[in-house]
Amino acid sequence: MAINQEITQALIVVEQVNKSFPLPDSKGEFTVLENINFAVQSGEVVALLGRSGSGKSTLLRIMAGLIPPSSGQIISNGKRLRGANQDVAMVFQSFALLPWLTVQENVELGLEARGISRTERQQRALKAIDLVGLDGFESAYPKEISGGMKQRVGFARAFVLQPKVLFMDEPFSALDVLTAENLRGEIDDLWNEKKFPSESIIIVTHNIDEAVFLADRVVILGSKPGRIRGQVKIDLPRPHPTNSDHFKSLVNYIYTIMTNPEVEMTGFAAIARKPSRSPYAQALPQARAGGISGLLELVVEQQNAREDLPKLAERLQLEIDDLLPIIDAAVLLGFAQVAHGDISLTKIGKDFATTTILRSKDLFRQQVLQNVPMIVSMVQSLREKQNGSMRADFFFDLLDEHFPHQEAERQFSTAVDWGRYAELFEYDASEERLYLPEVREQETGNREQ
């Protein structure tokens, strides 16, 4: 089928979409999404999978018409989108129910806003409530029902609108594990039994197993800026057999992609992205030194100091957004390697995980100085000052050139944690100053005298 014909038949088409937000103090723009192109066809479930900062939720809101793209366009049902998209409905991570309305009244809310008659509203609401298994709770108020039931109300509220495409923005992440598993299975059952009240689904998630379980196609986004790295077809019979070898191989394959963020997927080839020249533009993984050490100690106990990443995530009960930054940090520091969905420790990683605390700090310092240009630059700046001290604002200004202020603060916090653990510098939060360790020791000694 020709590409143009596919786009014509698509329910939603994203064409060359970019989204940027201004940085503070007129320092330019921070690009959230870059050159996004893909289409959603009728009859498919598409998962948008990526780390925090990949712009998944922003892209979803652009397709819903809630925020405009900086450039590019959205084609919905054959027409360029201008304003809110009437062909979609959205289920959010938070339940967002009005506490003074009953279950049925919350479900009818969207229909009332569209001017649907009361009789039709009631009929459609009762049908949707029954579909999500809440029959008998029509007159209950949100305070009377559990979190899982509240999210069912969220699904029913979207179902009554009979959208062409249902958007789901991490709809199970606020639920406990068992409730999420149950509701996820019920949604999949409705789709497989062709009882689902929309033609397609787009789900934003950071859960790899969830993406492979629900989706026909997984679109993998890179981060900073968000961009499409590639797509994975889930070529499994429905319902997707989670215990099959092919299901596990797909999960492992996606873990491999997600744990190699600096590799671009280009068909069957891969190219490394060119790093920015500025050491302050190369983002540090958001992981504490203690978390890195704890992970390495767990892996070193496994056979050959190697472990399957999905099994590790399951053993630690960690979501991908929590686990991957720690893995990224271990790889960045040269303590670990990731290949084929497995993490294995390097020789120096094994040494770090099994040696004394004093030697581990020496090894950490050695690896930071070899592999983390940002911290090397910070240490050099301190050494160039006669008093061996600098205000934190200096480093914030450098980071603000490349990141939104909140992300700049996270980068600084991580650099301080690593630098302290490596005994490369100290930080006085009350003064908001960095010091070389010997300078701080000298000041402390003078005060004691």
Coordinates of all heavy atoms in Angstrom, one line a residue, residues 262-304:
E262 N 21.8 6.5 23.6 CA 22.6 7.2 22.6 C 22.7 6.6 21.2 O 23.4 7.0 20.4 CB 24.0 7.5 23.2 CG 24.0 8.3 24.4 CD 23.3 9.6 24.3 OE1 23.6 10.3 23.2 OE2 22.5 10.0 25.1
V263 N 21.9 5.5 21.0 CA 21.9 4.9 19.7 C 20.6 5.1 19.0 O 19.5 5.0 19.6 CB 22.1 3.3 19.9 CG1 21.9 2.6 18.6 CG2 23.5 3.1 20.4
E264 N 20.7 5.6 17.8 CA 19.5 5.9 17.0 C 19.1 4.6 16.2 O 19.9 4.0 15.6 CB 19.7 7.0 16.0 CG 19.9 8.4 16.6 CD 18.6 9.0 17.0 OE1 17.6 8.4 16.9 OE2 18.7 10.2 17.5
M265 N 17.8 4.3 16.2 CA 17.3 3.2 15.4 C 17.0 3.7 14.0 O 16.2 4.6 13.8 CB 16.0 2.6 16.0 CG 16.2 2.0 17.4 SD 14.6 1.6 18.2 CE 14.0 0.4 17.0
T266 N 17.7 3.1 13.0 CA 17.4 3.5 11.6 C 17.3 2.2 10.8 O 18.2 1.7 10.2 CB 18.6 4.3 11.1 OG1 19.8 3.6 11.2 CG2 18.8 5.6 11.8
G267 N 16.0 1.7 10.9 CA 15.8 0.4 10.3 C 16.6 -0.7 11.0 O 16.4 -0.8 12.2
F268 N 17.4 -1.4 10.3 CA 18.2 -2.4 11.0 C 19.6 -1.9 11.4 O 20.4 -2.6 11.9 CB 18.4 -3.6 10.1 CG 17.1 -4.3 9.8 CD1 16.4 -4.2 8.6 CD2 16.6 -5.2 10.8 CE1 15.2 -4.8 8.4 CE2 15.4 -5.8 10.5 CZ 14.7 -5.6 9.3
A269 N 19.9 -0.6 11.1 CA 21.2 0.0 11.4 C 21.0 0.8 12.7 O 20.0 1.1 13.1 CB 21.7 0.8 10.3
A270 N 22.2 1.2 13.2 CA 22.2 2.0 14.4 C 23.3 3.0 14.3 O 24.4 2.6 13.9 CB 22.3 1.2 15.7
I271 N 23.1 4.2 14.6 CA 24.2 5.2 14.6 C 24.2 5.9 16.0 O 23.2 6.2 16.6 CB 24.0 6.3 13.5 CG1 22.7 7.0 13.6 CG2 24.1 5.6 12.1 CD1 22.5 8.1 12.7
A272 N 25.4 6.2 16.4 CA 25.6 6.9 17.7 C 25.3 8.4 17.5 O 25.8 9.0 16.5 CB 27.0 6.7 18.3
R273 N 24.6 9.0 18.4 CA 24.4 10.5 18.4 C 25.7 11.2 18.8 O 26.4 10.8 19.7 CB 23.3 10.9 19.3 CG 21.9 10.3 19.0 CD 20.9 10.7 20.0 NE 20.7 12.2 19.9 CZ 20.3 12.9 21.0 NH1 20.1 12.3 22.1 NH2 20.1 14.2 20.8
K274 N 25.9 12.3 18.1 CA 27.1 13.1 18.5 C 26.8 13.9 19.7 O 25.8 14.6 19.8 CB 27.4 14.1 17.3 CG 27.9 13.4 16.0 CD 28.2 14.4 15.0 CE 28.7 13.7 13.7 NZ 29.0 14.6 12.6
P275 N 27.7 13.7 20.7 CA 27.4 14.5 22.0 C 27.7 16.0 21.8 O 28.5 16.4 20.9 CB 28.4 13.9 23.0 CG 29.5 13.3 22.1 CD 28.9 12.9 20.8
S276 N 27.0 16.8 22.6 CA 27.3 18.2 22.6 C 28.7 18.5 23.1 O 29.2 17.8 23.9 CB 26.2 18.9 23.4 OG 26.6 20.3 23.6
R277 N 29.3 19.6 22.6 CA 30.6 20.0 23.0 C 30.6 20.4 24.5 O 31.6 20.3 25.2 CB 31.2 21.1 22.1 CG 31.5 20.6 20.7 CD 32.1 21.7 19.9 NE 32.3 21.3 18.5 CZ 32.9 22.1 17.6 NH1 33.1 23.3 17.8 NH2 33.1 21.6 16.4
S278 N 29.6 21.1 24.9 CA 29.6 21.6 26.3 C 29.4 20.5 27.3 O 28.4 19.7 27.2 CB 28.4 22.6 26.5 OG 28.3 22.9 27.8
P279 N 30.2 20.4 28.3 CA 30.0 19.3 29.3 C 28.7 19.5 30.1 O 28.2 18.5 30.7 CB 31.3 19.5 30.2 CG 31.7 20.9 30.0 CD 31.4 21.2 28.6
Y280 N 28.2 20.7 30.1 CA 27.0 21.0 30.9 C 25.7 20.7 30.1 O 24.6 20.8 30.6 CB 27.0 22.4 31.4 CG 28.1 22.7 32.3 CD1 29.3 23.2 31.9 CD2 28.0 22.4 33.7 CE1 30.4 23.4 32.8 CE2 29.0 22.6 34.6 CZ 30.2 23.1 34.1 OH 31.2 23.3 35.0
A281 N 25.9 20.3 28.8 CA 24.7 19.9 28.0 C 24.5 18.4 28.0 O 23.4 17.9 27.6 CB 24.9 20.3 26.6
Q282 N 25.4 17.6 28.6 CA 25.3 16.2 28.6 C 24.7 15.8 29.9 O 25.3 15.8 31.0 CB 26.7 15.6 28.4 CG 27.4 15.9 27.1 CD 28.8 15.5 27.0 OE1 29.2 14.5 27.5 NE2 29.6 16.2 26.2
A283 N 23.4 15.4 29.8 CA 22.6 15.2 31.0 C 23.2 14.0 31.8 O 23.5 12.9 31.2 CB 21.2 14.9 30.7
L284 N 23.2 14.1 33.1 CA 23.6 13.0 34.0 C 22.3 12.2 34.3 O 21.2 12.8 34.6 CB 24.2 13.5 35.3 CG 25.4 14.3 35.2 CD1 25.9 14.7 36.6 CD2 26.5 13.5 34.5
P285 N 22.4 10.9 34.4 CA 21.2 10.1 34.8 C 20.9 10.4 36.2 O 21.7 10.6 37.1 CB 21.7 8.6 34.7 CG 22.9 8.7 33.8 CD 23.5 10.0 34.0
Q286 N 19.6 10.5 36.5 CA 19.1 10.9 37.9 C 19.2 9.7 38.8 O 18.2 9.0 39.1 CB 17.7 11.4 37.8 CG 17.5 12.6 36.9 CD 18.3 13.8 37.3 OE1 18.1 14.3 38.4 NE2 19.2 14.2 36.4
A287 N 20.4 9.4 39.3 CA 20.7 8.3 40.2 C 21.7 8.7 41.2 O 22.7 9.4 40.9 CB 21.2 7.1 39.4
R288 N 21.4 8.3 42.5 CA 22.3 8.6 43.6 C 23.4 7.6 43.6 O 23.2 6.4 43.2 CB 21.5 8.6 44.9 CG 20.5 9.7 45.0 CD 21.1 11.1 45.2 NE 20.1 12.1 45.3 CZ 20.4 13.4 45.5 NH1 21.6 13.8 45.7 NH2 19.4 14.3 45.5
A289 N 24.5 8.0 44.2 CA 25.7 7.1 44.3 C 25.3 5.8 45.1 O 25.7 4.7 44.8 CB 26.8 7.8 45.0
G290 N 24.5 6.0 46.2 CA 24.0 4.8 46.9 C 23.2 3.9 46.1 O 23.3 2.7 46.3
G291 N 22.3 4.4 45.2 CA 21.5 3.5 44.4 C 22.4 2.8 43.4 O 22.1 1.6 43.1
I292 N 23.4 3.4 42.8 CA 24.3 2.8 41.9 C 25.0 1.6 42.6 O 25.1 0.5 42.1 CB 25.3 3.8 41.3 CG1 24.6 4.9 40.6 CG2 26.3 3.1 40.4 CD1 25.5 6.1 40.3
S293 N 25.5 1.9 43.8 CA 26.3 0.9 44.6 C 25.4 -0.3 44.9 O 25.8 -1.4 44.8 CB 26.8 1.6 45.9 OG 27.5 0.6 46.7
G294 N 24.1 0.0 45.4 CA 23.2 -1.0 45.7 C 22.9 -1.9 44.5 O 22.8 -3.2 44.7
L295 N 22.7 -1.3 43.4 CA 22.4 -2.1 42.2 C 23.5 -3.1 41.8 O 23.4 -4.3 41.5 CB 22.1 -1.2 41.0 CG 21.9 -1.9 39.6 CD1 20.5 -2.6 39.6 CD2 22.0 -1.0 38.5
L296 N 24.8 -2.5 41.9 CA 25.9 -3.4 41.5 C 26.1 -4.5 42.5 O 26.5 -5.6 42.1 CB 27.2 -2.5 41.5 CG 27.2 -1.3 40.4 CD1 28.5 -0.5 40.6 CD2 27.1 -1.9 39.1
E297 N 25.8 -4.2 43.8 CA 25.9 -5.3 44.8 C 24.9 -6.4 44.5 O 25.2 -7.6 44.8 CB 25.7 -4.7 46.2 CG 26.9 -3.9 46.6 CD 26.7 -3.2 48.0 OE1 25.7 -3.6 48.6 OE2 27.5 -2.3 48.4
L298 N 23.7 -6.1 44.0 CA 22.7 -7.1 43.7 C 23.1 -7.9 42.5 O 23.0 -9.1 42.5 CB 21.4 -6.4 43.4 CG 20.6 -5.9 44.7 CD1 19.4 -5.1 44.2 CD2 20.2 -7.1 45.5
V299 N 23.6 -7.2 41.5 CA 24.0 -7.9 40.2 C 25.2 -8.8 40.4 O 25.3 -9.9 39.9 CB 24.2 -6.9 39.1 CG1 24.7 -7.7 37.8 CG2 22.9 -6.2 38.8
V300 N 26.2 -8.4 41.2 CA 27.4 -9.1 41.4 C 27.2 -10.5 42.0 O 28.0 -11.4 41.9 CB 28.5 -8.3 42.2 CG1 28.2 -8.3 43.7 CG2 29.9 -8.8 41.9
E301 N 26.1 -10.6 42.8 CA 25.7 -11.9 43.4 C 25.2 -12.9 42.4 O 25.1 -14.1 42.8 CB 24.7 -11.6 44.5 CG 25.3 -10.8 45.7 CD 24.2 -10.5 46.7 OE1 23.0 -10.8 46.4 OE2 24.5 -9.9 47.8
Q302 N 24.8 -12.5 41.2 CA 24.2 -13.4 40.3 C 25.3 -14.1 39.5 O 26.5 -13.7 39.6 CB 23.3 -12.6 39.2 CG 22.2 -11.8 39.9 CD 21.3 -12.7 40.8 OE1 20.8 -13.7 40.4 NE2 21.2 -12.2 42.0
Q303 N 25.0 -15.2 38.9 CA 25.9 -16.0 38.2 C 26.6 -15.2 37.1 O 26.0 -14.5 36.3 CB 25.3 -17.2 37.5 CG 26.2 -18.2 36.9 CD 25.5 -19.4 36.3 OE1 24.3 -19.5 36.3 NE2 26.3 -20.4 35.9
N304 N 28.0 -15.2 37.1 CA 28.8 -14.4 36.1 C 28.5 -12.9 36.3 O 28.8 -12.2 35.3 CB 28.5 -14.9 34.7 CG 28.9 -16.3 34.5 OD1 29.9 -16.8 35.0 ND2 28.1 -17.0 33.7

